[in-house]
């Protein structure tokens, strides 16, 4: 599925000023008994809240887990909003209309019929991105159709399908051959026999039910219900969970929090097949994501480490291997597999650091002060003795901010991190002072409510007095008019 909103499209449509300055949208993480979320065409929605530094929280709202743009999914509902039966029925009807025209079962039946056809009758409509059976040919006679579709092509759907290009919803970037071959070789070298690929949209028509599930990775929703859930469970627990690894390449606009929650549920599903003696074992994972999300990912998965290997894509203008400086691909692999077991290709400039016991990029030089190879972006970083850590080569130490930053940064500008205490190592939702902040915000809201009620009373009183005065003036005018006319 696609990325959840990282902007404020839903709230903007409701009259908000949008995400500006020190405001941000945060996912409300589940706590206590789970409350069923309302459904949109992409499954259960997620609960969000707009947080502004120095101001109390706004009303919480449900929005689509998958689409950032309301043009693609216009679901919006306040958390405390009560819907009528008619509106709920209309929403259910809308959700049904938005589902794929072919069910999962129909896709499987079509696929089984397709592979039984002789090679000369296997056709694929490039315009509709659909495998064609002989009965379909007439409907696609004016379209560009590819013939003689081989079994090899069927096994590599990405070579038949055009990548979608809607960056806010269904943007698809395909691994370059270099990165794809590296991953395949690495998985084989590490001894994995089965791979759970999370995030392979539009492949439904190319696989049978035991090989593919229509699934939303941002809310752990199986569109075909319990049957699909059990297929995934059986796959993860086969051979007591041995020889399986999860590989995921989520949309980079996706929020880390819902992804982490989903992956933890998949890990728990895998653990159900483990014996109590193996309770400390973890499901091996490759999470492919930009390096600047490292702190967020490791916050949810402390055992994860980031590889220096740069993942690049064929159809992305920026994420290309071989570029230098800041133009290098920022995409990395996060994993819970020990890094000393992962060999990176030396012919591409990676080397083994005996001190760190891992492969690093050529320019990532070991720092004796940090006792690590600190670079994240492939360039040589410099050690700042005031910050007591290595920083990017383009950064300088700012005496006003007391930390390193880009030369043209704004010292008074908004900073990342927690809106409550200002610390950079956590978000507001994980702040130890959140309870105090909520009490303060509640007191502020009560004070504002009292002030608002007082103003309303004064306004009502003023309006009443004005009405009385107007009535007296009207009566005086009427008496004057009668006097003049008599």
């Amino acid at each position: 599925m696609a990325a959840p909103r990282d902007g404020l499209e839903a709230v903007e449509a409701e009259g908000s000023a949008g995400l500006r300055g020190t405001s941000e949208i945060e996912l409300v993480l589940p706590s206590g008994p789970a409350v069923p979320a309302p459904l949109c065409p992409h499954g259960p929605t997620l609960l969000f809240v707009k947080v502004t530094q120095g101001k109390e929280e706004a009303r919480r709202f449900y929005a689509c887990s998958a689409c950032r743009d309301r043009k693609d999914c216009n679901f919006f509902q306040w958390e405390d909003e009560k819907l009528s039966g008619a509106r709920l029925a209309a929403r259910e009807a809308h959700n049904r209309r938005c589902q794929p025209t072919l069910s999962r079962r129909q896709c499987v039946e079509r696929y089984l019929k397709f592979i039984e056809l002789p090679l000369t009758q296997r056709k694929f409509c490039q315009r509709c991105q659909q495998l064609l059976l002989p009965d379909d040919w007439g409907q696609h006679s004016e379209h560009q159709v590819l013939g003689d579709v081989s079994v090899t092509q069927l096994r590599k759907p990405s070579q038949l399908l055009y990548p979608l290009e809607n960056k806010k919803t269904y943007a698809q970037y395909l691994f370059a051959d270099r990165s794809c071959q590296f991953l395949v070789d690495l998985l084989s070298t590490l001894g994995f026999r089965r791979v759970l690929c999370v995030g392979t949209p539009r492949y439904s028509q190319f696989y049978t039910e035991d090989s593919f599930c229509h699934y939303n990775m941002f809310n752990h929703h199986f569109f075909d219900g319990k049957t699909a859930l059990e297929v995934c469970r059986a796959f993860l627990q086969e051979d007591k969970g041995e020889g399986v690894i999860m590989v995921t390449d989520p949309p980079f606009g996706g929020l880390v929090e819902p992804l982490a929650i989903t992956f933890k549920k998949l890990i728990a599903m895998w653990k159900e097949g483990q014996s109590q003696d193996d309770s400390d074992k973890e499901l091996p994972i490759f999470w492919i994501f930009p390096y600047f999300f490292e702190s967020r990912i490791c916050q949810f998965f402390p055992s994860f480490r980031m590889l220096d290997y740069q993942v690049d894509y064929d159809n992305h203008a920026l994420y290309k291997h071989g570029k230098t400086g800041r133009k290098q691909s920022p995409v990395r692999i996060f994993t819970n597999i020990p890094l000393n077991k992962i060999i990176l290709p030396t012919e591409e400039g990676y080397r083994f650091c005996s001190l760190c016991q891992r492969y690093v990029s050529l320019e990532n030089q070991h720092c004796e002060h940090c006792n690590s190879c600190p670079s994240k972006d492939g360039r040589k970083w410099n050690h700042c003795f005031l910050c007591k850590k290595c920083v990017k080569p383009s950064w300088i130490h700012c005496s006003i901010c007391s930390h390193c930053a880009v030369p043209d940064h704004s010292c008074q500008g908004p900073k990342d991190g927690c809106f409550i205490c200002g610390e950079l190592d956590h978000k507001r939702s994980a702040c130890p002072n959140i309870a105090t902040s909520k009490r303060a915000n509640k007191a502020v809201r009560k004070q504002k409510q009292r002030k608002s009620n007082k103003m309303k009373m004064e306004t009502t009183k003023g309006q009443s007095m004005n009405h009385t005065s107007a009535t007296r003036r009207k009566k005086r005018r009427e008496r004057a008019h009668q006097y003049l006319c008599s």
Side-chain angles (χ1 to χ4, degrees):
M1 295 302 296
R5 61 189 72 254
D6 61 358
L8 196 57
E9 292 84 2
V11 175
E12 286 175 344
E14 299 295 327
S16 169
L19 187 60
R20 300 188 182 97
T22 55
S23 298
E24 67 174 20
I25 292 296
E26 285 190 2
L27 176 72
V28 179
L29 299 177
S31 60
V35 178
L39 302 178
C40 76
H42 304 94
T45 53
L46 298 179
L47 186 60
F48 295 91
V49 64
K50 179 187 176 185
V51 181
T52 305
Q53 191 170 20
K55 297 183 180 179
E56 68 274 12
E57 298 177 5
R59 291 170 69 185
R60 305 199 297 189
F61 61 92
Y62 289 102
C64 179
S65 66
C67 300
R68 290 190 290 169
D69 196 330
R70 293 202 73 201
K71 294 177 182 177
D72 300 302
C73 183
N74 63 0
F75 187 96
F76 182 92
Q77 179 181 323
W78 295 113
E79 182 188 24
D80 55 2
E81 185 177 2
K82 303 298 182 183
L83 303 184
S84 65
R87 188 173 172 188
L88 287 173
R91 176 179 290 172
E92 291 176 2
H94 171 73
N95 290 348
R96 287 193 297 270
R97 289 194 301 269
C98 292
Q99 296 309 305
T101 54
L102 295 176
S103 68
R104 186 76 189 94
R105 165 52 61 182
Q106 289 173 317
C107 287
V108 172
E109 291 175 351
R110 287 177 59 87
Y111 175 76
L112 294 176
K113 291 178 181 179
F114 187 88
I115 60 178
E116 291 177 352
L117 293 172
L119 183 63
T120 55
Q121 294 186 20
R122 292 186 200 152
K123 298 183 180 182
F124 178 78
C125 179
Q126 294 181 313
R127 175 175 170 180
C128 302
Q129 298 283 277
Q130 181 182 332
L131 296 174
L132 302 180
L133 297 175
D135 292 343
D136 305 323
W137 293 353
Q139 304 171 26
H140 301 264
S141 58
E142 302 297 323
H143 300 175
Q144 186 175 356
V145 174
L146 179 68
D148 299 340
V149 178
S150 66
V151 174
T152 301
Q153 288 174 301
L154 289 175
R155 289 174 177 170
K156 298 180 178 180
S158 60
Q159 296 184 0
L160 287 174
L161 297 169
Y162 290 136
L164 296 174
E165 297 180 350
N166 184 342
K167 293 183 179 180
K168 288 189 176 182
T169 309
Y170 294 112
Q172 294 174 318
Y173 299 108
L174 306 179
F175 292 139
D177 288 342
R178 158 191 165 270
S179 294
C180 197
Q181 193 60 52
F182 166 74
L183 282 169
V184 171
D185 293 343
L186 179 58
L187 294 175
S188 177
T189 301
L190 293 173
F192 294 109
R193 304 183 301 275
R194 292 173 292 117
V195 180
L196 177 68
C197 296
V198 182
T200 50
R202 298 195 305 147
Y203 282 12
S204 182
Q205 61 179 318
F206 295 93
Y207 292 97
T208 56
E209 290 166 306
D210 60 348
S211 302
F212 181 91
C213 297
H214 188 194
Y215 176 73
N216 184 342
M217 71 167 73
F218 291 103
N219 57 12
H220 190 57
H221 177 65
F222 290 86
F223 288 87
D224 294 294
K226 189 175 180 180
T227 302
L229 174 81
E230 292 305 320
V231 168
C232 181
R233 189 193 307 277
F235 182 83
L236 284 171
Q237 296 181 6
E238 182 180 332
D239 295 332
K240 297 183 179 180
E242 291 295 326
V244 65
I245 183 173
M246 188 183 93
V247 177
T248 181
D249 180 33
F252 300 154
L255 297 175
V256 171
E257 289 89 342
L259 290 171
I261 292 170
T262 288
F263 298 161
K264 285 178 181 290
K265 291 178 179 178
L266 291 172
I267 292 170
M269 193 184 298
W270 173 82
K271 271 187 173 293
E272 291 172 4
Q274 301 289 303
S275 65
Q276 292 185 350
D277 296 336
D278 297 328
S279 58
D280 59 334
K281 293 180 63 176
E282 293 184 337
L283 170 67
I285 295 176
F286 281 165
W287 181 346
I288 299 166
F289 226 49
Y291 71 82
F292 37 80
F293 285 100
E294 181 183 20
S295 61
R296 301 291 290 146
I297 292 175
C298 292
Q299 177 184 341
F300 288 95
F301 299 101
S303 63
F304 277 31
R305 296 294 180 267
M306 188 181 77
L307 296 178
D308 266 20
Y309 183 81
Q310 295 181 15
V311 179
D312 58 310
Y313 299 81
D314 269 339
N315 58 326
H316 198 291
L318 299 178
Y319 300 169
K320 298 286 188 181
H321 178 66
K323 292 189 176 182
T324 58
R326 298 185 64 183
K327 295 183 179 180
Q328 300 177 77
S329 171
V331 187
R332 302 291 186 269
I333 300 174
F334 296 87
T335 184
N336 52 1
I337 298 173
L339 298 191
N340 59 3
K341 293 184 178 181
I342 299 177
I343 301 174
L344 303 187
T346 55
E347 65 273 14
E348 294 183 10
Y350 299 99
R351 61 178 181 82
F352 187 76
C353 176
S354 57
L355 297 174
C356 293
Q357 285 293 295
R358 69 181 181 100
Y359 277 83
V360 296
S361 60
L362 193 62
E363 296 298 320
N364 191 1
Q365 300 296 315
H366 192 89
C367 175
E368 60 181 9
H369 306 289
C370 297
N371 193 29
S372 68
C373 294
S375 175
K376 309 294 184 183
D377 59 8
R379 296 179 292 171
K380 183 181 182 300
W381 284 19
N382 302 321
H383 189 83
C384 174
F385 290 94
L386 296 174
C387 292
K388 297 181 180 179
K389 65 178 182 179
C390 285
V391 298
K392 295 180 178 181
S394 57
W395 287 16
I396 60 172
H397 192 86
C398 176
S399 58
I400 299 175
C401 298
S402 297
H403 64 78
C404 289
V406 292
D408 57 348
H409 74 283
S410 173
C411 296
Q412 303 301 324
K415 297 178 175 61
D416 295 331
C418 179
F419 277 6
I420 295 175
C421 66
E423 294 295 330
L424 302 178
D425 60 347
H426 63 269
K427 290 285 188 177
R428 167 199 154 275
S429 57
C431 183
N433 300 323
I434 190 170
T436 304
S437 175
K438 285 184 175 180
R439 286 196 295 270
N441 288 336
K442 187 175 181 180
V444 170
R445 284 196 295 270
K446 284 186 176 180
Q447 184 179 1
K448 286 189 174 183
Q449 187 64 45
R450 287 195 294 267
K451 185 177 180 181
S452 176
N453 292 340
K454 182 178 179 181
M455 291 176 65
K456 287 180 181 178
M457 291 176 63
E458 292 176 349
T459 302
T460 303
K461 182 178 179 181
Q463 289 175 345
S464 177
M465 294 178 64
N466 291 339
H467 177 73
T468 302
S469 300
T471 302
R472 290 173 179 171
R473 287 196 298 269
K474 183 179 180 181
K475 287 183 177 180
R476 284 199 298 268
R477 285 197 300 269
E478 290 175 349
R479 288 197 296 268
H481 179 72
Q482 291 174 356
Y483 175 78
L484 292 173
C485 293
S486 61

